[in-house]
Amino acid sequence: MIGAMRDVIVAANWKMNTTPADAAELARTIVSRTREAGVIRVICPPYVCLAAVGEAVADEDPPVAVGAQNVHHELAGAYTGEISAPMLASLATWVIIGHSERRRDAGETDELIGRKLGRAVGAGLRPILCVGEQLADREAGRATDVVDEQLAGALEDHEPTALADAGLVIAYEPVWAIGTGRNARGSDASEMADAIRSTLEHHGWGSRTAGVPVLYGGSVTSANIDEFFSEPAIDGALVGGASLKPDEMAGIVARAGMTARARGAAR
Ligand code: PGA
């Protein structure tokens, strides 16, 4: 599959922001301003806002997907305060896994993230697996090695077919770019997307590799999104801070629409 065939995706990671009432309102405003054919829009609000956002966007055309920001690695049991994949299945169709804030704050390891991936896929959720290096890794020239290790650790117990069929998406989010206002360069993101696809090939993904969407995340705004969509290896964005601002989302998704149209014309 060539790049032109891959999905174009803009995913909003609202993190720990909004109440159910504001989330529904914000979702309605954003979706009404981001209707672009060929762009998959995904809104990932806090767990407690999933139902409200789902209802708010239910009649949207093109449709809007709702995603969770995390999922537990077990199906059920004595895990106070946690949420499992089967619980999410009627509220969301996507899930973010392995976000760097969870690696940092909840000590998530690649092995645990791999288990979460399995649970997500088992419940029919489309996973966005986040990977990315720290600043010190990049400065030491180890960025691709770190991302390679994260991917290998998360993917090692999974059959490529199962994850490819689930529509696995990989988000490259350099940790030093998240919430800092300091975005990576488009060329760095593109090089990393190529490295990610090489890692997948190395792990037996074969021709499925070319169909895996790779998103960039880290201080994406309407002002810098062009830099990422200008790179054919990048298929979209995972947007944090700017995803809470309707004007920003309108600009970002409009630029995504240009890529979707160009890819459609190339088919
Ligand atoms: P940011 O967050 O856009 O605020 O940098 C991105 C993310 O954490 O997914």
Side-chain angles (χ1 to χ4, degrees):
M1 190 190 283
I2 54 168
M5 302 294 285
R6 289 194 294 267
D7 289 337
V8 175
I9 300 164
V10 176
N13 175 9
W14 286 0
K15 308 191 179 185
M16 196 174 74
N17 293 291
T18 71
T19 63
D22 343 301
E25 178 71 32
L26 181 61
R28 269 192 289 271
T29 307
I30 289 173
V31 299
S32 70
R33 299 191 52 194
T34 54
R35 293 190 183 109
E36 286 285 341
V39 179
I40 298 182
R41 295 170 293 171
V42 188
I43 298 182
C44 304
Y47 285 135
V48 294
C49 301
L50 287 168
V53 169
E55 266 169 47
V57 304
D59 299 327
E60 264 302 298
D61 184 26
V64 173
V66 178
Q69 299 171 12
N70 179 35
V71 64
H72 198 261
H73 59 278
E74 293 293 355
L75 287 175
Y79 300 100
T80 302
E82 298 291 350
I83 304 285
S84 72
M87 294 175 190
L88 289 174
S90 62
L91 293 167
T93 51
W94 289 58
V95 61
I96 298 171
I97 294 182
H99 191 280
S100 66
E101 286 155 11
R102 294 208 54 83
R103 293 176 187 259
R104 179 194 70 198
D105 300 337
E108 291 190 6
T109 60
D110 295 323
E111 189 264 342
L112 188 84
I113 288 164
R115 291 167 69 187
K116 290 176 180 233
L117 265 182
R119 294 303 182 194
V121 171
L125 298 166
R126 186 168 183 183
I128 302 178
L129 171 62
C130 301
V131 291
E133 81 285 358
Q134 306 277 345
L135 187 57
D137 300 321
R138 177 154 289 271
E139 287 175 347
R142 284 192 282 108
T144 47
D145 293 344
V146 167
V147 168
D148 180 78
E149 260 172 47
Q150 290 173 336
L151 275 180
L155 300 180
E156 71 180 344
D157 292 331
H158 297 287
E159 280 298 319
T161 327
L163 290 181
D165 289 352
L168 176 70
V169 174
I170 295 179
Y172 167 54
E173 298 206 304
V175 177
W176 47 271
I178 295 179
T180 58
R182 178 178 173 196
N183 60 281
R185 287 179 305 189
S187 53
D188 293 330
S190 175
E191 269 173 34
M192 190 61 86
D194 290 343
I196 286 170
R197 294 197 173 98
S198 304
T199 301
L200 293 179
E201 266 176 28
H202 183 76
H203 287 273
W205 279 60
S207 61
R208 296 179 202 90
T209 302
V212 177
V214 176
L215 314 184
Y216 168 75
S219 297
V220 168
T221 64
S222 59
N224 63 30
I225 187 66
D226 184 59
E227 175 157 3
F228 302 103
F229 273 121
S230 300
E231 299 289 344
I234 302 291
D235 304 300
L238 178 55
V239 188
S243 75
L244 293 159
K245 300 178 186 156
D247 285 348
E248 285 292 310
M249 283 299 280
I252 292 166
V253 179
R255 180 60 188 81
M258 284 170 56
T259 291
R261 281 190 292 282
R263 290 186 179 189
R267 272 176 203 172

